[in-house]
């Protein structure tokens, strides 16, 4: 179970708040939003590219990058803020999982990154402090039993029954690890 590097989640929170305080409606304002979003996107992705270079990896996560950019461009208002913020916050763990899995593969280990929700972690819709659904233990158990090699699983995030990304609250990667440990039914 992985977490985002130090400072990334805090910065993503700041970015989501900054984006929520501005209103964009006219074409020139939308152009400004696009420019601001590009700066934020480059700021976060450059940190991961830098980390990858430190360990001699070429890091390309185009699909995830486009999803992140889309989240940044989403309309953020009082009704959507928490949902969009959770989507933005999830990128730290998701990029970390992919980077670590790639590092393991480059060192000869079979490894794959998994978003916890793709292995069955379902939560309620309490964005920012979601609770996992006990009924997700069985799907998680089944999902991890079929994994070959070293799984690198995101902490901190899940999805609600509507398919929206949720976060489990501050410092919850350990909580995620416990959920997966219980679901694995391993004794060690």
């Amino acid at each position: 179970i992985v977490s985002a590097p130090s400072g990334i989640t805090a910065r993503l929170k700041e970015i989501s708040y900054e984006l929520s305080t501005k209103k964009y409606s006219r074409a020139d304002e939308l152009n400004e939003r696009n420019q601001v979003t590009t700066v934020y996107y480059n700021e976060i992705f450059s940190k991961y590219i830098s980390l990858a270079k430190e360990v001699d990896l070429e890091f390309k996560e185009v699909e995830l990058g486009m999803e992140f950019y889309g989240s940044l461009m989403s309309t953020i208002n009082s009704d959507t803020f928490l949902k969009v913020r959770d989507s933005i916050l999830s990128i730290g763990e998701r990029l970390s999982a992919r980077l670590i899995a790639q590092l393991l593969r480059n060192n000869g280990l079979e490894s794959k990154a998994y978003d916890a929700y793709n292995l069955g972690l379902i939560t309620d819709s309490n964005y920012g402090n979601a609770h996992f659904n006990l009924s997700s233990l069985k799907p998680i158990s089944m999902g991890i039993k079929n994994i070959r090699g070293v799984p690198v699983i995101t902490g901190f995030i899940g999805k609600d029954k509507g398919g929206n990304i949720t976060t489990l609250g501050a410092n919850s990667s350990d909580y995620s690890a416990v959920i997966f440990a219980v679901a694995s039914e391993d004794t060690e």
Side-chain angles (χ1 to χ4, degrees):
I1 302 292
V2 297
S3 187
S6 179
I8 293 287
T9 303
R11 182 62 185 130
L12 288 168
K13 271 186 182 178
E14 290 171 2
I15 289 170
S16 63
Y17 284 116
E18 289 168 17
L19 289 172
S20 72
T21 60
K22 293 189 176 186
K23 304 294 181 224
Y24 300 94
S25 57
R26 297 189 329 241
D28 59 331
E29 292 170 336
L30 289 175
N31 187 38
E32 178 189 343
R33 170 71 180 258
N34 190 27
Q35 290 173 354
V36 168
T37 297
T38 300
V39 168
Y40 291 147
Y41 171 88
N42 289 336
E43 175 187 345
I44 297 301
F45 266 72
S46 69
K47 291 180 191 284
Y48 282 91
I49 291 167
S50 177
L51 286 170
K53 285 181 182 177
E54 286 180 29
V55 291
D56 294 325
L57 294 176
E58 184 176 347
F59 191 60
K60 295 181 180 178
E61 282 296 332
V62 176
E63 185 177 320
L64 195 53
M66 294 309 293
E67 183 181 329
F68 175 56
Y69 193 86
S71 292
L72 291 174
M73 284 297 290
S74 295
T75 301
I76 303 176
N77 57 44
S78 60
D79 295 330
T80 64
F81 175 73
L82 293 176
K83 184 189 291 187
V84 173
R85 184 190 64 183
D86 276 10
S87 181
I88 291 170
L89 293 180
S90 75
I91 201 68
E93 277 70 15
R94 296 169 72 201
L95 286 171
S96 292
R98 284 146 180 85
L99 182 64
I100 292 169
Q102 183 177 344
L103 178 63
L104 292 171
R105 286 191 303 273
N106 284 9
N107 283 284
L109 295 170
E110 184 177 359
S111 184
K112 184 176 177 183
Y114 296 91
D115 294 325
Y117 51 77
N118 287 333
L119 293 173
L121 183 59
I122 303 297
T123 69
D124 61 19
S125 299
N126 186 17
Y127 300 107
N129 196 26
H131 298 92
F132 91 100
N133 187 324
L134 279 173
S135 66
S136 64
L137 286 175
K138 186 168 184 151
I140 292 170
S141 177
M142 292 171 59
I144 57 180
K145 284 186 189 320
N146 297 322
I147 292 176
R148 295 174 45 136
V150 179
V152 182
I153 304 168
T154 58
F156 181 62
I157 62 173
K159 275 192 176 179
D160 64 14
K161 289 182 180 179
N164 301 299
I165 293 175
T166 58
T167 61
L168 302 173
N171 303 312
S172 62
S173 288
D174 291 345
Y175 179 44
S176 301
V178 170
I179 293 168
F180 276 83
V182 169
S184 74
E185 301 172 357
D186 285 339
T187 58
E188 293 184 33

